[in-house]
Amino acid sequence: MRLTAAASSLVVVMTMAPTVSASAVENEVFGMKIGEPLALPLCELSLPTPAARSSSKGPGSRAFNKLTAPPPEPLKLTPPATGLCVAPGPTSMAVGNTEFGPGEYGYLVFATDEYPAWIAPIGMSIGAGAGDALSLEGVGGLVLLRDGRVIALRFNTTGFEAQSRVMELLTRKFGSPTSQKAVSWHNDLGGSRESITAQWRTRDFFADYSSVVQQQATRVQGLSGGIGSLSIGNDLGQRVLQPVNKEAEF
């Protein structure tokens, strides 16, 4: 859905803050150190019990049953009892401007009772078939790896409702943002609300936070809710996550 001028408008205010010194930044997030090998336990996987189904018998039944068989159920992730676990990505996946192969990225899963309220839950399936598909429910985020080392972390956040808490946590950990934008959303009823976009930059470190991403803001009813995005990593991770705009070629 596109944001139309009749439905809402944006007013962007840019503020700048002094650059945070490299010594002030902690490069550890949820126990994972940016630039260091990933040291998390693997998530437990379980195969769902197949549903009972009727099958035909007689000439041609084998081919018929194969054609009408439902697709295989994806493997299910079991959240850890405490802390975080990681489920290595089983297929290739494009992130930003780079394609990551199996094992070069992973899905982070929080313990059920320790799930941060500001992180938006995600449910999805990936993979192309039995043994490759992976069902993701309650996933905490995405970790990107290069040579086994963490280069970036990505999380979805719970939009407007989480922005004050997320900014508090980020500022406490990384200091004042290098730059910050206030984005005002206006609707047809005369209501308005501000979302936040903030960046932190130091030597070989970045953090980018948007409390409501633009493509999601148009789905917000009554200027509430929404989905935000938080990315943290090193310079390599930042280059990987930057989208590439290519001009048309003749």
Side-chain angles (χ1 to χ4, degrees):
M1 184 182 298
R2 294 182 298 176
L3 185 66
T4 62
S8 55
S9 60
L10 294 178
V11 177
V12 181
V13 178
M14 175 72 80
T15 60
M16 301 297 293
T19 302
V20 184
S21 64
S23 60
V25 171
E26 298 180 34
N27 70 342
E28 182 176 309
V29 181
F30 295 122
M32 296 169 284
K33 290 188 176 181
I34 306 299
E36 299 293 329
L38 182 64
L40 288 178
L42 295 177
C43 300
E44 293 185 10
L45 301 175
S46 60
L47 188 64
T49 303
R53 62 184 184 88
S54 58
S55 59
S56 301
K57 297 181 179 180
S61 60
R62 182 175 181 180
F64 176 79
N65 291 333
K66 185 176 181 180
L67 288 173
T68 59
E73 288 288 327
L75 293 171
K76 300 290 185 181
L77 289 176
T78 301
T82 186
L84 279 167
C85 67
V86 60
T91 61
S92 294
M93 179 177 66
V95 181
N97 59 26
T98 304
E99 183 170 293
F100 289 80
E104 293 183 331
Y105 68 97
Y107 295 98
L108 304 171
V109 182
F110 286 91
T112 302
D113 294 335
E114 300 172 14
Y115 202 95
W118 55 268
I119 292 183
I122 306 170
M124 60 185 294
S125 293
I126 62 173
D132 289 332
L134 181 64
S135 176
L136 306 174
E137 296 180 359
V139 174
L142 181 71
V143 56
L144 304 179
L145 306 170
R146 182 60 53 86
D147 298 326
R149 296 177 180 273
V150 178
I151 63 171
L153 303 168
R154 296 189 70 178
F155 302 93
N156 282 349
T157 68
T158 51
F160 284 116
E161 311 310 321
Q163 63 184 16
S164 295
R165 177 58 173 162
V166 177
M167 285 297 296
E168 175 190 353
L169 293 171
L170 290 171
T171 302
R172 182 190 305 169
K173 193 170 187 68
F174 303 134
S176 298
T178 307
S179 64
Q180 181 174 327
K181 291 188 296 185
V183 183
S184 296
W185 298 94
H186 302 273
N187 63 14
D188 291 342
L189 302 177
S192 65
R193 194 169 187 181
E194 286 190 345
S195 64
I196 297 172
T197 297
Q199 294 82 36
W200 286 257
R201 297 287 187 273
T202 66
R203 182 176 58 84
D204 201 27
F205 174 85
F206 85 97
D208 288 343
Y209 172 56
S210 293
S211 64
V212 178
V213 294
Q214 184 169 340
Q215 58 266 35
Q216 291 289 343
T218 57
R219 302 177 187 177
V220 177
Q221 299 297 321
L223 296 172
S224 63
I227 296 293
S229 174
L230 173 62
S231 299
I232 300 172
N234 57 19
D235 289 348
L236 176 57
Q238 184 184 6
R239 292 195 298 271
V240 163
L241 292 174
Q242 291 297 324
V244 176
N245 294 322
K246 296 183 177 180
E247 294 183 0
E249 298 179 356
F250 288 96

